[in-house]
Amino acid sequence: MSDEQKNRTTVDIYGQQYTIVGTESTSQIRYVCSKVDDKMREINSMNPSLDTSRLAVLTAVNAVNDYLKLQEKFEELERENKRLKD
């Protein structure tokens, strides 16, 4: 990562400002952060009594769960693709 140019982007997530530093484009960083903000607001609308820490943890759990489901689906599609080629 040290060889790549790092971008510093200030974003707003759930009313808090964060400075994100990474090699992704500013637009990608903003897009990801907007998705995190959307998910936090969605979860909060279903659980308005959650404090911010619990809300953040539930958002992270949801995001990782979604990621793992997609990873499993991807691996399933790769196996199917390999099976069809053989």
Side-chain angles (χ1 to χ4, degrees):
M1 191 159 124
S2 60
D3 293 342
E4 296 181 56
Q5 171 135 1
K6 293 181 183 175
N7 295 311
R8 179 181 295 279
T9 307
T10 300
V11 297
D12 186 82
I13 301 173
Y14 204 69
Q16 295 286 319
Q17 283 202 331
Y18 298 90
T19 300
I20 309 294
V21 179
T23 57
E24 298 292 340
S25 69
T26 297
S27 61
Q28 176 68 11
I29 292 169
R30 288 187 189 284
Y31 179 71
V32 169
C33 292
S34 75
K35 291 298 183 184
V36 171
D37 184 70
D38 290 347
K39 184 55 99 173
M40 287 184 77
R41 291 179 190 286
E42 176 187 326
I43 292 170
N44 181 255
S45 72
M46 295 180 284
N47 303 286
S49 63
L50 291 174
D51 63 41
T52 305
S53 294
R54 290 183 188 276
L55 180 59
V57 169
L58 283 177
T59 301
V61 168
N62 274 265
V64 171
N65 184 54
D66 290 347
Y67 169 78
L68 292 173
K69 284 182 185 178
L70 286 171
Q71 185 178 38
E72 185 178 303
K73 183 66 174 174
F74 176 76
E75 289 168 359
E76 178 185 316
L77 290 171
E78 278 189 321
R79 285 190 299 274
E80 180 67 12
N81 188 34
K82 185 179 185 310
R83 186 188 67 76
L84 291 172
K85 285 182 178 180
D86 292 343

